[in-house]
Amino acid sequence: MVFTIGHTDSNENPTVKFQTRFSHTPTFAGILLSGLFVQPLAAETVSLEPITVEARYWEEDPNRVPTSASLIDNLSDDPGADVELIQQATPNVTIENSSVQTRINIRGVSGLDSGLQDPVGFFVNGVALPLGGNQLPDMSIFNSVEIVKGPQGALYGRNTEAGAIKFNSIDPSWELTGHASISTMTIDSGEGSADGYVFSASGANELVDDRLAGAIEIQIDDNDGPFYNELTDSRQGGEVDRSSLAASALFVAGANTDIIFKTVIDDHDSGRNRFRFESGVNQTDPFVTNADTEGFDNEKTAVHAVELTHGFDKFELTSITGVTDYEREFEIDLDATPAPLPATLYDLQNDSFSQEFRLSSEDANPDLNWLAGVYFFDEDSDIDFTISPMFNTTNRVTEIEQNGQALFGQIEYSFNPRWSVTIGGRYEQVDQSASQSFSNAMLNTQYDADLDSDEFLPTASLGFLADEQNFVYVSYSEGYLPGGYNYNSAGDADSFTFDEEHSELIELGWKNTALQNKLSTAISVFQITTTDKQIVDLLPGFIQSVSNAGETESTGAEFSIAYSVSPLLSTYFNLGILQTEATSFVSNTFGMPLDLSGNDLPYAPERTYSAGVRYESDNGIFGHLSVRGSDDYFFDSQNLLEQSSFDVVDFELGYQFKNARLTLWAKNVTEEEIVSRAVSTPNGVVVEDTLPRTIGLTFSAEL
């Protein structure tokens, strides 16, 4: 897997593809300069083809894109690939990868805790995931990931207030290819160690001469997980049983018409006993739980995409039809103690259909790029949620129907060889309708509500190409996070709904290539202002409401440098600096206003960084050392629960045979103690541990 801000050496020296940004920790500089750990550059990390991104729907050099865009390539080469890799690839990103949710915080912008909607837009093969990161299939089933920061509502619509992350699965091939790998691993846990394995295989070939090509990839992940329940002497609470499939087919329907079908199916069964008390009388050690219910968490997700492209004389038509299906059912011991309280139960079904048509310019005129499109979607959600605080069992059954349509367009014009301007916008309309039945020992009621919103989201940028090595840009964009329904903690019609929030981004950036394209540098500064921020208020009776009473501001800078020392040796370094503040933020707790103005935003450290060295010798030995880290940050808007600063070290060391490779790898070598989630309760702080030290051995071979 490689990170890209890429280029190709103009002197025919293959250049490593990688994207990164800097950070703060001086300890890594010592490791990097010492040269004690280096990773060989595997064949997959070398490319003679120019690197391109599609942040604006057309292929272009990332060093000419007037926004922050990153690429992670060859992802399927990493058997342990997960969303944590996004932190390694780009700065000012913090991730909650917990059993509750997968939530990615970009530049301090995050959504409601346990919400159905996410301010980061997740797209699989061009199809939006309605439930964001929670609906994301296994990361390592994808080939590449593109990260576009900042509000991207003009092109990608709702749920891109913080940015868009685009995942691409295996592509069809006209030539016979095949790949297989098996990994075994040992995971440090709360009591001894746990074992696991990952098996993957893929193949592609022409199926009908000059007409049809296909590809398929499967992956099986089975491990005991790091969590140990001392009450039951069991590891069931953290076990993982996951199988994934990706398939694609390309049909050449005519001289100017291609149809590509892609599908990704993921079946994920795991334990759900992962919470422990970090303080109080029920306190336990990391990865040690003490609950009377092991629980379970079963998820099934499917994303199907059909993309049709047809070239006309002056423009190209693209049609993307998307269908998603997501099911999740879990049982959890929410009190995380041996107390015999009833378990919390959850059952969700979400289905969506989307259709997008785009017309775009061809590459014949380099001075003018344009696109225009329409988008439609229809989505249904059914949720059955039962929670039992203090033996008072409460059941909420929610049905949500959503549909929307949008018109969007963008034009980029170069009015001379140095200056270019981009202007775009999107008009989007979303209609929502929902009902909820609420019942407990004292009350049985039902209520419903409709929500309608109309948004126009503009974007504009100005780019200046000083010379072939230096590109400067300034950009402005707007985004929003739709209003929605408080499915898990409402108690009446007033607490059932909340309105949309809005954000604005101003970004100034500089991108540079030097030393015959062997050195790439990117620097940007930005400011994001969010208004109508969605805030959770606590009400009596374990009820929560969501109000739009907050305003926040995120200001920061990002720096990335990637240097290809030689065709065999490369380095990268990333740094993110971020200052966040709740400029106006008043939450109500049982009727008492709590002014949180001036507080830091959750999951928003002041500094993040990542760095690495890659190496591959002529005799087949290769290695890779990478480090990423973060300053302290808070889990909550009250700034009471804090994650200490950390530095995570990973490495690989292996040997490349002719058509096979053997790799010894380790993650979180120094056993940094990191929690993905923390919640304050009357009995102490409950956390979920993450990133245990894992050591593995992978053997892979290809045709």
Side-chain angles (χ1 to χ4, degrees), residues 595-627:
D595 190 350
L596 305 177
S597 302
N599 282 12
D600 293 343
L601 300 182
Y603 291 93
E606 290 186 359
R607 282 176 293 275
T608 55
Y609 81 97
S610 63
V613 179
R614 302 173 181 273
Y615 174 75
E616 180 172 314
S617 68
D618 293 333
N619 60 12
I621 298 175
F622 66 87
H624 176 207
L625 171 73
S626 65
V627 182

Side-chain angles (χ1 to χ4, degrees), residues 36 176 188 222 225 243 259 364 400 435 451 461 499 555 584 628:
L36 293 178
L176 177 63
D188 286 357
D222 192 328
S243 57
I259 301 174
I400 305 173
S435 64
L451 291 173
S461 64
D499 294 328
T555 304
S584 177
R628 71 178 184 274

Side-chain angles (χ1 to χ4, degrees), residues 423-579:
I423 298 175
R426 183 186 191 97
Y427 174 75
E428 182 164 282
Q429 181 184 41
V430 177
D431 299 323
Q432 303 182 73
S433 177
S435 64
Q436 183 174 85
S437 62
F438 175 96
S439 61
N440 59 22
M442 298 176 292
L443 181 65
N444 191 333
T445 185
Q446 183 170 335
Y447 35 85
D448 54 61
D450 295 332
L451 291 173
D452 301 324
S453 64
D454 297 270
E455 296 290 334
F456 177 71
L457 304 171
T459 184
S461 64
L462 181 66
F464 175 65
L465 186 64
D467 52 45
E468 288 302 315
Q469 286 74 45
N470 293 278
F471 178 69
V472 180
Y473 67 89
V474 60
S475 64
Y476 171 85
S477 60
E478 294 184 10
Y480 86 111
L481 183 63
Y485 297 96
N486 182 16
Y487 75 95
N488 65 344
S489 55
D492 52 33
D494 291 337
S495 59
F496 187 40
T497 63
F498 53 90
D499 294 328
E500 65 270 10
E501 65 181 42
H502 304 83
S503 62
E504 298 180 348
L505 165 72
I506 298 176
E507 181 173 328
L508 176 65
W510 170 64
K511 298 181 180 183
N512 168 266
T513 58
L515 301 178
Q516 297 179 323
N517 289 337
K518 294 179 181 179
L519 177 68
S520 291
T521 305
I523 299 175
S524 63
V525 294
F526 60 87
Q527 183 178 69
I528 300 173
T529 303
T530 304
T531 57
D532 307 313
K533 184 68 178 175
Q534 297 164 355
I535 300 175
V536 175
D537 298 321
L538 302 180
L539 307 176
F542 296 97
I543 303 299
Q544 296 179 350
S545 68
V546 181
S547 60
N548 296 83
E551 295 184 4
T552 67
E553 189 172 283
S554 299
T555 304
E558 295 169 351
F559 175 64
S560 297
I561 187 168
Y563 179 43
S564 179
V565 181
S566 74
L568 303 179
L569 176 65
S570 64
T571 64
Y572 62 89
F573 183 73
N574 303 321
L575 173 67
I577 300 172
L578 182 65
Q579 183 67 49

Side-chain angles (χ1 to χ4, degrees), residues 321-468:
T321 305
V323 175
T324 72
D325 178 75
Y326 178 68
E327 301 175 22
R328 186 178 191 185
E329 183 181 9
F330 68 68
E331 176 187 78
I332 183 174
D333 186 357
L334 199 60
D335 66 284
T337 72
L341 293 175
T344 293
L345 304 173
Y346 180 90
D347 190 347
L348 176 145
Q349 174 73 50
N350 179 276
D351 300 292
S352 75
F353 170 83
S354 63
Q355 177 63 58
E356 180 169 297
F357 296 102
R358 294 197 305 268
L359 294 176
S360 59
S361 59
E362 292 189 326
D363 299 330
N365 184 358
D367 297 330
L368 179 67
N369 288 305
W370 60 267
L371 66 86
V374 295
Y375 176 78
F376 309 92
F377 80 90
D378 187 85
E379 177 188 350
D380 294 318
S381 301
D382 297 304
I383 311 161
D384 191 331
F385 183 56
T386 300
I387 186 171
S388 302
M390 304 303 293
F391 293 100
N392 183 19
T393 298
T394 299
N395 176 249
R396 295 176 176 88
V397 177
T398 311
E399 296 180 359
I400 305 173
E401 296 181 1
Q402 303 181 69
N403 62 78
Q405 44 276 325
L407 297 172
F408 63 93
Q410 181 167 278
I411 184 169
E412 180 187 53
Y413 178 63
S414 299
F415 46 89
N416 66 40
R418 295 188 181 275
W419 291 92
S420 62
V421 62
T422 303
I423 298 175
R426 183 186 191 97
Y427 174 75
E428 182 164 282
Q429 181 184 41
V430 177
D431 299 323
Q432 303 182 73
S433 177
S435 64
Q436 183 174 85
S437 62
F438 175 96
S439 61
N440 59 22
M442 298 176 292
L443 181 65
N444 191 333
T445 185
Q446 183 170 335
Y447 35 85
D448 54 61
D450 295 332
L451 291 173
D452 301 324
S453 64
D454 297 270
E455 296 290 334
F456 177 71
L457 304 171
T459 184
S461 64
L462 181 66
F464 175 65
L465 186 64
D467 52 45
E468 288 302 315

